[in-house]
Amino acid sequence: MTEHTPKAVVLLSGGIDSAVCLQQALDEYEKVEAIHIDYGQQTESIERSNAEAQATAHNIDLHTIDYRTVFAEFAEGTIEDKEYDSNHMAEEGHSVGYVPQRNLHFLTSAAAVAEHHTDPGVELVLFHGAQYNDSTDYPDCRPAFIKAAQKAINRSTDQHTVTIETPLIDLDKPEVLTLGEKLGVDWSLTFSCYNDQSGTPCGECPACVERKEAFEKADIEDPVVAQ
């Protein structure tokens, strides 16, 4: 029986968490590819540019998935033009950018794309940047969800064994930054803002506030700051 080297496939958004996951995957696996998903987020242009730059820097393939049409039916909070500020939250503590079932869509589609680009029999390891800070308000960032999603994905295929790796799931944002710093992540190729500012963070939205606080707590200089 032929031995196959496992392949790591990273869901690469262009943000902090996925950048750290990419560097972790590169440290652990010889074969690494990435997938970027466009679901109509207002900052898609800069996020995709960052994902492409990260992939180019590490000489890996980047696959893209166009989810705009699908998410337009139920994710208008993210897709439509909106103003986000530090106090702008939806019901149940969710951000106005909350997208129902987002990570389930992302993981199953990423698994399908990964299978399409991989020979049968190769073990696939999907790296997903779920982290501790998100677990309180978002069920699809919790270990129980990841375990269930992995089981469902493997029940859906007989071509590959798929493992979902979440190396950040027990880390808060400052700890994620500390890990990324050790791994050598280029923070200038990450973006965290919810507002479309052509690559310049607004400094006011929940993502910008969280990023600023996390860099300060981790005692790391952020090369991407609001002007």
Side-chain angles (χ1 to χ4, degrees):
M1 182 175 178
T2 303
E3 291 273 339
H4 293 288
T5 302
K7 178 197 286 187
V9 180
V10 182
L11 280 83
L12 194 62
S13 69
I16 289 173
D17 301 329
S18 67
V20 177
C21 283
L22 175 60
Q23 201 65 52
Q24 185 81 52
L26 289 165
D27 276 12
E28 295 181 3
Y29 293 89
E30 293 182 11
K31 295 182 179 180
V32 179
E33 295 181 5
I35 294 175
H36 177 75
I37 301 177
D38 174 359
Y39 56 98
Q41 58 272 48
Q42 291 185 149
T43 52
E44 163 57 16
S45 178
I46 183 64
E47 289 180 15
R48 180 165 181 163
S49 177
N50 281 342
E52 290 173 346
Q54 291 176 44
T56 298
H58 296 293
N59 194 30
I60 62 172
D61 291 335
L62 177 68
H63 310 289
T64 59
I65 301 176
D66 185 350
Y67 239 113
R68 284 179 176 256
T69 301
V70 177
F71 275 28
E73 294 298 320
F74 56 84
E76 62 274 1
T78 294
I79 294 173
E80 299 295 332
D81 291 336
K82 291 187 180 295
E83 287 295 325
Y84 297 81
D85 58 51
S86 59
N87 296 316
H88 198 170
M89 302 294 288
E91 295 180 0
E92 304 297 331
H94 293 153
S95 163
V96 286
Y98 171 65
V99 179
Q101 308 292 335
R102 186 181 76 163
N103 287 338
L104 183 59
H105 279 276
F106 283 7
L107 289 169
T108 55
S109 293
V113 170
E115 286 203 276
H116 178 69
H117 291 282
T118 305
D119 292 333
V122 175
E123 179 185 352
L124 292 171
V125 183
L126 291 183
F127 273 76
H128 175 49
Q131 56 101 7
Y132 183 77
N133 286 15
D134 293 330
S135 64
T136 300
D137 294 323
Y138 302 104
D140 60 357
C141 290
R142 298 171 188 165
F145 164 77
I146 298 300
K147 182 178 181 180
Q150 177 176 293
K151 183 176 181 179
I153 288 170
N154 281 292
R155 289 288 183 89
S156 301
T157 181
D158 58 7
Q159 297 297 303
H160 304 87
T161 297
V162 180
T163 301
I164 301 174
E165 288 284 343
T166 54
L168 316 181
I169 204 159
D170 294 320
L171 305 180
D172 63 20
K173 190 68 78 173
E175 290 171 329
V176 171
L177 289 170
T178 299
L179 173 60
E181 191 76 357
K182 291 178 180 178
L183 293 172
V185 172
D186 183 352
W187 303 120
S188 70
L189 298 180
T190 66
F191 195 70
S192 305
C193 183
Y194 287 153
N195 291 311
D196 184 3
Q197 298 290 334
S198 301
T200 301
C202 70
E204 297 293 334
C205 71
C208 281
V209 172
E210 180 190 46
R211 180 179 179 120
K212 182 176 185 295
E213 292 176 349
F215 270 94
E216 289 176 349
K217 288 181 180 179
D219 195 23
I220 298 170
E221 184 176 353
D222 185 1
V224 182
V225 294
Q227 301 298 315

